[in-house]
Amino acid sequence: MKKNTSHFRGCLLGGAIGDALGFIVEFMDIEEIKRTFGTEGINDLICDETSGKAVVSDDTQMTVFTADGLLWADYSGREGDTCSITDCVFYSYQRWFYTQTGRFADQEYDWLINNEGVDYKSELMKVEELMIRRGPGNTCLSALSKSVNKQYGTIDDPINNSKGCGGIMRSAPVGLYFHKSADKAFQMAAQCAAITHGHPSGYLSAGALACIISEIIDGKDINQAALHAASILKTYDQHEECLDILQRAITLSTKDVEPDDAVTSLGEGWVGEEALAIAVYCALKYEDDFEKAVRMAVNHSGDSDSTGAICGNILGAYHGLEGIPEKWIKNVELADLLSELADRLLVV
Ligand SMILES: [Mg+2]
């Protein structure tokens, strides 16, 4: 059992570190990465001159809003309110949408700015680092801009046909929250991803990640956790694409294949199932070495910040803070906020 401060914080901080490392090279192909950083690629966080911190991207920003939405739902449940988990996460994503655009999809949501009329007082709208645009995903922006009158995307009534990795890259907190039930973690993360991503591979990949995090916190190793995610995946409609690539990633990690070639064979990670597969492959390949794994997860031609973030979530949950280089924990942006959210998810 890894239900403790170190592993909860490790999951969210590990994700932020992978995100920050990958954000620098998100739009570079591998040749450009090597030209810029040498043949090993980017291997250390680069701190911003003004803030002194390695900045995170939309992946971590949205992860923060997922965590806050879950905590809000938990609080509401205890207070006897009827706010469902997906409602609270949806409203939290509207807050994220506001930070990126200066507006909500619907004027009816204006109360979200200052918590008017709600007992759960979110502090996120006061956090400066969350107000900055860090490559927000178009699918998330567009889906949330359309969600008027609380009509957001669901699995049964998809808002679009997108399977971009914007659903999975923000899902780790769901696995922490539902650490007692991998099934529930899977189901709820898929539903929360479907708020913005309507293609099965867009939301099922999110379910799989939350399931893996939940299983790791429950004491399983990464391989067991990934196999369990695959077994739950099979029970959902239209799981074939996501299951196939997840199984390939698990198998590849046991083979004597050059890691660069293995990652390339899994795609570029712009879509959910590829991001899941690349992150799982890297986490399994370098299970005992957080640094090596996240470096592998970001040094490729694809969506480096998302694959880095997801790999960092998995290995951070697995090893806890002890497995993450101290200087990275010290240098990554939003570390205090992520630690606080992790601690609150731990005690609910
Ligand atoms: Mg990003």
Side-chain angles (χ1 to χ4, degrees), residues 72 86-99 101-118 125 141-153 159 195:
W72 180 4
T86 46
D87 279 357
C88 290
V89 171
F90 165 70
Y91 282 134
S92 197
Y93 291 160
Q94 279 294 327
R95 285 199 173 110
W96 171 79
F97 180 74
Y98 187 93
T99 66
T101 63
R103 66 184 178 89
F104 294 112
D106 191 326
Q107 282 180 353
E108 295 292 314
Y109 304 152
D110 283 353
W111 54 274
L112 289 166
I113 292 185
N114 51 15
N115 302 303
E116 210 178 299
V118 266
M125 301 301 263
L141 289 172
S142 137
L144 290 168
S145 76
K146 284 191 276 193
S147 302
V148 296
N149 198 22
K150 224 171 105 180
Q151 295 293 307
Y152 53 81
I159 194 156
I195 291 171

Side-chain angles (χ1 to χ4, degrees), residues 19 26 57-59 134-135 305-306:
D19 181 22
E26 182 181 8
S57 85
D58 60 324
D59 301 44
R134 299 275 176 70
D305 59 337
S306 298

